[in-house]
Amino acid sequence: MEATTTLKPATLIAITEKLRERDAQLVEELRQYGKFVDFGRGEDENAAEIAQYADGLSMEGELVKALRDVKNALSRLKAGTYGVCRYCNQPIAEKRLLARPTSSSCVACKMEKKAQ
């Protein structure tokens, strides 16, 4: 049986708003990375722009991961399972969720998984 959230409605509303704002921000940032780079004319300009483009690809990957985490958290909110650890099925501390709304595990389980 899947556990349901024990968070107060006001807390859920605040977290939902934070997640929606972050979602919109990440989508906009990803749009910026989708723009094509205009490479310079000289060899030295090309090298610098290619390096910048490569750095952008790395950042784009991080943004995609962050957006995935936000979408997953919003899905858990919709399903009523937000705030429940995916490993131990126990409530995640409200402080943790307010600090990191995309958390899907409690601190104890997160530490255990890191140690493995």
Side-chain angles (χ1 to χ4, degrees):
M1 184 170 129
E2 206 167 89
T4 58
T5 189
T6 59
L7 296 169
K8 296 176 223 146
T11 302
L12 289 171
I13 290 169
I15 288 172
T16 301
E17 287 175 9
K18 277 185 180 181
L19 287 167
R20 286 184 179 152
E21 287 172 11
R22 184 68 176 139
D23 180 74
Q25 178 186 27
L26 288 166
V27 167
E28 182 56 34
E29 287 181 36
L30 281 165
R31 276 195 196 122
Q32 297 300 316
Y33 280 103
K35 294 181 180 172
F36 188 73
V37 177
D38 181 27
F39 293 110
R41 289 170 184 38
E43 201 170 297
D44 57 337
E45 290 176 17
N46 286 342
E49 288 177 357
I50 289 171
Q52 181 181 4
Y53 179 72
D55 289 345
L57 288 177
S58 175
M59 178 58 115
E60 184 178 14
E62 291 302 314
L63 291 172
V64 167
K65 288 177 192 174
L67 184 59
R68 180 200 62 217
D69 290 346
V70 168
K71 297 286 188 192
N72 287 339
L74 288 168
S75 292
R76 290 190 310 275
L77 275 160
K78 188 175 182 178
T81 59
Y82 181 82
V84 177
C85 179
R86 67 180 177 168
Y87 300 109
C88 69
N89 222 26
Q90 296 299 308
I92 300 171
E94 185 175 320
K95 277 178 126 175
R96 176 169 170 75
L97 293 170
L98 289 170
R100 189 172 182 274
T102 56
S103 296
S104 62
S105 62
C106 66
V107 173
C109 288
K110 184 70 172 182
M111 297 304 285
E112 183 180 318
K113 293 295 177 191
K114 276 188 170 184
Q116 293 178 352

